[in-house]
Amino acid sequence: MDFTFDDEQKALRDAVRDLAGRHTPASSGGDVPVGPGKHDAAAWSAIADMGLLGLAFGEDVGGAGASAVELSLAATELGRGRLVTAYADAMVAAELINRAGTAEQKAAFLPDLLDGSSLIVPALAEPGRAWSLAAYDVTAEGEGDSVVLTGTKEPVPYADVATHLVVTARAGDRTGVYLVADPQVSGARVHFDATPAIQLGSLDDAPAAIEAAVNLGILAVVSEALGAMDAALPMTVEYLKTRKQFGVPLAAFQTLTQRAADMYVSLELARSTVLFTAMALADDPLDSAAASRAKVQVGQSGRHIGQEAIQLHGGIGMTAEYAVGHYTARLTAIEHTFGDTRWHLARLSASLRDYEQVEVLRPA
């Protein structure tokens, strides 16, 4: 598998890096809190104008006709620039409509989503339950355009600025996909009380659509995490080179340089996994094993690099005025998005049942 980018991909990477640099939140002055921020409308408009929302979608539905690899490149630069946007969530919603919707539904909703005219995000998680691709307490009654939804979804990131939601709901013992306009939102909670909805496609198509959409969302967030890690490590190395203690730079202490070297190893493991996953999903959007492997490796690398970056920076790593804490907060949030590390590790472990024998690698 060739991990080398061609000239067009390098040009896309440089263009998105420039865009992200122009919209990076200010990291000084104490007015940027650590942790999830509000949707940056100006950055979102710039992302839409550059065509990044349609990278992974065909030209027939208003996309750019590129692939998951280009989407990953763009998301990496957005993560490096610490942009707070609904990019991954919008990609999940777009893939759900693209795969589950009828031709008429795609024509009605996808072009506006991909050009930024509307913001559609998914509502998948339910309060009090572990992450699951299936719906439990949110139910759907009726068929076609006469469907009503009842129940609560939470958390639903960016629901307060969304024009529509794509909701998973239980119809009998099966999970379907539904579109809701102007949802009733309270923070990150969305409550449905016989709320009118439009069923996207059939119940038969819904499971594959949900799996492919979440895989694409996972690729977007692990790519964003790769960008965050790729920015946090050089910041830490530079600090070790310039900050002095006992009259010498911190980098003069071998133990600290060894810890920085371990961070580099974690970063390269994550980079290889993300690149492999992007290429795997470009070939097969339903390759959930690749998505889970990326989620596990990036979750572990992100926790390692984030925690080490803060510790090696000392007290300033915890301040709101310094970017390394912001990167760590975002890495922590990403680890718990679309299933945490333990959930994906359990899914990979369960797949071992498909093998008659598992050979454990041992050192020679």
Side-chain angles (χ1 to χ4, degrees), residues 9 17 26 42 54 84 96 130 145 158 175 208-209 223 246 251 298 312 317 338 346:
Q9 291 170 331
R17 184 174 296 183
V84 181
L96 279 169
D145 295 340
Y158 306 104
T175 295
S223 300
F246 307 118
V298 171
L312 292 175
F338 303 133

Side-chain angles (χ1 to χ4, degrees), residues 76-106:
T76 300
E77 298 308 320
L78 299 180
R80 187 193 310 278
R82 291 190 290 112
L83 266 62
V84 181
T85 72
Y87 190 68
D89 300 273
M91 294 299 96
V92 173
E95 184 72 340
L96 279 169
I97 297 172
N98 188 41
R99 287 186 168 270
T102 63
E104 292 77 13
Q105 290 169 337
K106 293 178 189 178

Side-chain angles (χ1 to χ4, degrees), residues 57 88-102 105-106 109-110 113 120-124 131 133 165-169 175-179 199-202 205-217 338:
F57 298 91
D89 300 273
M91 294 299 96
V92 173
E95 184 72 340
L96 279 169
I97 297 172
N98 188 41
R99 287 186 168 270
T102 63
Q105 290 169 337
K106 293 178 189 178
F109 299 108
L110 262 182
L113 194 167
I120 307 177
V121 298
L124 307 178
W131 168 254
L133 299 181
L165 298 180
V166 180
V167 185
T168 54
T175 295
V177 182
Y178 304 87
L179 188 76
Q199 182 174 351
L200 294 178
S202 68
D205 297 331
I210 296 169
E211 188 168 359
V214 171
N215 287 345
L216 192 65
F338 303 133

Side-chain angles (χ1 to χ4, degrees), residues 17-320:
R17 184 174 296 183
D18 180 65
L19 180 153
R22 285 186 274 111
H23 291 274
T24 296
S27 57
S28 61
D31 58 348
V32 182
V34 172
K38 294 183 178 179
H39 179 64
D40 187 335
W44 187 253
S45 179
I47 289 170
D49 290 344
M50 188 175 281
L52 304 186
L53 299 177
L55 285 174
F57 298 91
E59 295 178 359
D60 57 323
V61 294
S67 74
V69 176
E70 283 73 18
L71 181 149
S72 176
L73 274 174
T76 300
E77 298 308 320
L78 299 180
R80 187 193 310 278
R82 291 190 290 112
L83 266 62
V84 181
T85 72
Y87 190 68
D89 300 273
M91 294 299 96
V92 173
E95 184 72 340
L96 279 169
I97 297 172
N98 188 41
R99 287 186 168 270
T102 63
E104 292 77 13
Q105 290 169 337
K106 293 178 189 178
F109 299 108
L110 262 182
D112 285 350
L113 194 167
L114 299 183
D115 70 13
S117 301
S118 63
L119 175 56
I120 307 177
V121 298
L124 307 178
E126 298 183 6
R129 290 193 177 276
W131 168 254
S132 174
L133 299 181
Y136 287 95
D137 294 333
V138 175
T139 59
E141 296 182 1
E143 295 181 352
D145 295 340
S146 301
V147 176
V148 295
L149 303 184
T150 302
T152 301
K153 290 286 188 180
E154 185 184 32
V156 184
Y158 306 104
D160 56 334
V161 291
T163 57
H164 301 74
L165 298 180
V166 180
V167 185
T168 54
R170 182 167 54 82
D173 59 352
R174 306 168 73 183
T175 295
V177 182
Y178 304 87
L179 188 76
V180 175
D182 300 323
Q184 296 180 9
V185 179
S186 176
R189 168 172 289 200
V190 183
H191 183 66
F192 305 103
D193 183 9
T195 303
I198 301 172
Q199 182 174 351
L200 294 178
S202 68
L203 292 177
D204 292 336
D205 297 331
I210 296 169
E211 188 168 359
V214 171
N215 287 345
L216 192 65
I218 287 173
L219 177 62
V221 293
V222 297
S223 300
E224 184 184 339
L226 174 61
M229 288 184 278
D230 213 6
L233 176 57
M235 290 180 65
T236 306
V237 172
E238 184 63 23
Y239 181 79
L240 294 179
K241 290 180 178 178
T242 54
R243 178 75 165 90
K244 290 185 177 180
Q245 196 167 41
F246 307 118
V248 297
L250 291 176
F253 298 96
Q254 190 177 35
T255 299
L256 300 184
T257 57
Q258 288 175 340
R259 290 171 66 175
D262 287 342
M263 292 170 65
Y264 176 77
V265 172
S266 286
L267 172 62
E268 292 309 308
L269 282 171
R271 191 192 311 279
S272 301
T273 307
V274 171
L275 289 173
F276 175 84
T277 303
M279 295 180 183
L281 292 181
D283 289 337
D284 180 9
L286 292 174
D287 189 349
S288 297
S292 284
R293 283 195 292 269
K295 202 67 172 55
V296 170
Q297 182 57 59
V298 171
Q300 294 173 341
S301 293
R303 182 177 290 266
H304 175 219
I305 291 175
Q307 291 179 348
E308 286 289 80
I310 285 182
Q311 288 190 19
L312 292 175
H313 272 90
I316 69 168
M318 296 293 292
T319 61

